[in-house]
Amino acid sequence: MAKSMSLLWGAGSPPCWRVMIALEEKRLQGYKHKLLSFEKGEHKSQEVLDINPRGQLPAFRHGDNIVNESCAACLYLENQFKSQGTKLIPDGPAEEALVYQRMFEGLTLNDKLNSVIYYEWFVPEEERHESAVKRNREELANELTLWEGYLEKVAAGSYLAGAFSLADVIVFPSVAYAFRFGLSVGRYPKLAKYYRLLKDRPSIKASWPPHWVDSPQGYNCLKDL
Amino acid sequence: MAKSMSLLWGAGSPPCWRVMIALEEKRLQGYKHKLLSFEKGEHKSQEVLDINPRGQLPAFRHGDNIVNESCAACLYLENQFKSQGTKLIPDGPAEEALVYQRMFEGLTLNDKLNSVIYYEWFVPEEERHESAVKRNREELANELTLWEGYLEKVAAGSYLAGAFSLADVIVFPSVAYAFRFGLSVGRYPKLAKYYRLLKDRPSIKASWPPHWVDSPQGYNCLKDL
């Protein structure tokens, strides 16, 4: 099965990482993959555009089926390989509700991280404002505090929705991102504990961004958050 | 079943509308609901915050299960009531892939609409730039052109992924929004056809934003797009 799958990806991109974790969890190792460089603009290459007209990574294909949106790809993989590997969506209504809820909230968390970490990438120089930078940072701090609260409510040392689930597949890369960019372990202890719980999980270790291994710490822009 | 459900909603909000369409399609009429006013800030009231700490609408509850993120609520309803009402996620892998893919792309479409229609709502006066307004409009036009292309590829007069599906539940409210705000039927004929195909569907008619009935046309800000 995995042989009919191919993934074009960029290192350190949470959306790409989500799909790679899901592939590992569903025991779909052996899929074809190619690492492309955002810096060189390879996500806008014809090779990507042929699969993803948005010129974004991941670009994922399973046979003739194309699923480029990372959460869509994860849902697709879980549904197509329900009985293989880790069950990523639980059967119980309460657990299922929580998995979906956190999964989609995870997209907001990631957007808010991007709006701080990549402000200068997203906003042209002449449109930048100190007031926007300040507001984005405050909104990210509020968002992270919300997740601290969520983790406080689940059982100690637990995943986001009981057992490991699709919620963790979607959210973990953003949490890893936050700590790579200097988030304070002291001020966000629950998130730090969650990070430690998951970082050595085989699916996550196997898909760890290669350039993070060589240089474990990114630009420390979140340290005062 | 529907009696144990409650929805706090705001009129004309695509996320709220999605959940209401899904409830209709799954034959869950009879749920409790309460219309709140964004203008009066009622989405930040304690009543909402008790269910949705983000202070956003929809705020949806089924018994003790809370699912506020609109796509999460739709996935939850489909999975909990699989054999009831319309089947919103098809079984075939190709169809399923397309439903998930379009559903998540629909979130981008909605974001891009918001960035044009609500620019002055989202961006404080001293941070506004003509260059940003222009770029947002160009990006929205590109986005809409992408959807024109998607609709050109599916069978004539068709839904987004073959039969009516979760993709339509998520995307239709944004398309309705675009036309309400003046999108040109002549320049986006496939989207216009899609809009006409769906607007009288019982689930959509039953959940049509009440203030749109009294005043069918919004501010014409998309007419030149």
Side-chain angles (χ1 to χ4, degrees):
Chain A
M1 264 305 180
K3 290 218 166 87
S4 58
M5 293 180 181
S6 66
L7 178 74
L8 302 177
W9 61 290
S13 139
C16 295
W17 198 0
R18 292 169 191 156
V19 180
M20 296 171 91
I21 296 171
L23 285 161
E24 293 289 326
E25 293 287 344
K26 300 310 288 180
R27 294 203 204 131
L28 292 163
Q29 292 91 347
Y31 59 90
K32 278 172 270 177
H33 64 94
K34 187 174 176 183
L35 174 59
L36 299 179
S37 160
F38 290 113
E39 287 72 22
K40 292 184 192 157
E42 290 173 351
H43 54 300
K44 299 291 178 197
S45 65
Q46 198 54 48
E47 183 178 15
V48 173
L49 291 170
D50 286 345
I51 301 174
N52 189 346
R54 295 180 181 276
Q56 290 172 344
L57 299 175
F60 177 70
R61 156 168 241 159
H62 174 210
D64 288 336
N65 301 337
I66 289 173
V67 204
N68 299 314
E69 297 292 316
S70 64
C71 293
C74 292
L75 282 168
Y76 171 83
L77 291 171
E78 171 59 14
N79 276 299
Q80 291 302 313
F81 301 93
K82 258 193 213 314
S83 55
Q84 185 174 318
T86 311
K87 190 172 171 60
L88 294 175
I89 301 177
D91 286 323
E95 294 77 14
E96 195 184 336
L98 193 56
V99 167
Y100 288 137
Q101 173 64 19
R102 293 291 179 260
M103 173 181 164
F104 282 88
E105 286 188 274
L107 303 184
T108 299
L109 169 61
N110 201 60
D111 283 349
K112 291 192 175 171
L113 275 165
N114 281 340
S115 74
V116 171
I117 298 175
Y118 294 114
Y119 183 76
E120 300 191 358
W121 174 271
F122 287 126
V123 182
E125 193 168 356
E126 60 282 9
E127 293 175 18
R128 292 178 202 154
H129 294 272
E130 271 311 310
S131 50
V133 168
K134 188 166 171 284
R135 188 176 57 250
N136 290 351
R137 291 179 67 88
E138 282 166 4
E139 286 184 2
L140 176 57
N142 290 341
E143 179 72 26
L144 290 162
T145 302
L146 201 57
W147 290 88
E148 276 287 302
Y150 293 160
L151 286 165
E152 197 148 1
K153 275 186 223 157
V154 294
S158 166
Y159 303 102
L160 281 171
F164 182 88
S165 74
L166 199 49
D168 302 293
V169 173
I170 303 302
V171 174
F172 177 79
S174 302
V175 174
Y177 228 81
F179 285 109
R180 179 173 166 79
F181 281 85
L183 191 71
S184 162
V185 166
R187 274 195 302 285
Y188 298 94
K190 304 289 175 196
L191 279 164
K193 195 170 177 185
Y194 176 74
Y195 174 72
R196 284 194 303 273
L197 172 72
L198 276 157
K199 73 180 177 43
D200 294 322
R201 189 176 170 93
S203 66
I204 286 172
K205 234 175 155 170
S207 56
W208 201 262
H211 68 295
W212 290 19
V213 177
D214 305 332
S215 104
Q217 195 57 49
Y219 170 50
N220 248 347
C221 58
L222 304 185
K223 76 174 164 33
D224 298 323
L225 215 62
Chain B
M1 261 308 177
K3 292 219 164 87
S4 58
M5 295 182 179
S6 66
L7 178 74
L8 303 177
W9 61 290
S13 139
C16 295
W17 199 0
R18 292 168 191 155
V19 179
M20 297 171 90
I21 297 172
L23 284 161
E24 292 289 327
E25 293 286 344
K26 301 310 286 180
R27 292 201 206 133
L28 292 161
Q29 291 91 345
Y31 59 92
K32 276 172 270 176
H33 64 94
K34 186 173 177 183
L35 173 61
L36 299 179
S37 159
F38 290 113
E39 287 70 23
K40 293 184 191 156
E42 290 175 351
H43 54 301
K44 299 293 177 197
S45 66
Q46 198 54 47
E47 184 179 14
V48 174
L49 290 170
D50 286 343
I51 302 174
N52 189 346
R54 296 182 179 274
Q56 291 173 343
L57 298 175
F60 177 71
R61 154 169 244 158
H62 174 210
D64 288 336
N65 302 336
I66 289 172
V67 205
N68 299 315
E69 297 291 317
S70 64
C71 293
C74 292
L75 282 168
Y76 172 83
L77 290 171
E78 171 59 13
N79 277 297
Q80 291 302 314
F81 301 93
K82 258 192 214 316
S83 53
Q84 186 173 319
T86 311
K87 191 174 170 59
L88 294 174
I89 301 177
D91 286 323
E95 293 77 16
E96 195 183 337
L98 193 56
V99 166
Y100 288 138
Q101 173 64 18
R102 293 291 178 260
M103 172 182 165
F104 282 88
E105 286 188 272
L107 302 184
T108 299
L109 169 62
N110 201 59
D111 283 350
K112 291 192 174 171
L113 274 166
N114 281 340
S115 74
V116 171
I117 298 175
Y118 294 114
Y119 183 75
E120 299 191 359
W121 173 271
F122 287 127
V123 182
E125 192 168 358
E126 61 281 10
E127 294 176 17
R128 292 177 203 155
H129 293 273
E130 272 309 310
S131 50
V133 169
K134 186 166 171 283
R135 188 175 56 251
N136 290 352
R137 291 180 66 88
E138 282 166 4
E139 286 183 3
L140 176 56
N142 290 341
E143 180 71 27
L144 290 162
T145 302
L146 202 56
W147 289 88
E148 276 287 304
Y150 293 160
L151 286 166
E152 196 147 3
K153 275 186 220 152
V154 294
S158 168
Y159 303 103
L160 281 170
F164 182 87
S165 74
L166 200 48
D168 301 295
V169 173
I170 303 302
V171 174
F172 178 79
S174 303
V175 174
Y177 228 81
F179 286 110
R180 179 172 165 80
F181 281 85
L183 191 70
S184 161
V185 166
R187 274 195 304 286
Y188 299 94
K190 304 289 174 194
L191 280 164
K193 194 171 178 183
Y194 175 74
Y195 174 73
R196 284 195 304 271
L197 172 70
L198 276 157
K199 75 179 173 46
D200 294 322
R201 189 177 171 91
S203 65
I204 286 172
K205 236 177 151 168
S207 56
W208 201 262
H211 67 296
W212 290 19
V213 177
D214 305 330
S215 105
Q217 194 59 49
Y219 172 50
N220 248 345
C221 58
L222 304 185
K223 75 175 166 30
D224 298 325
L225 215 64

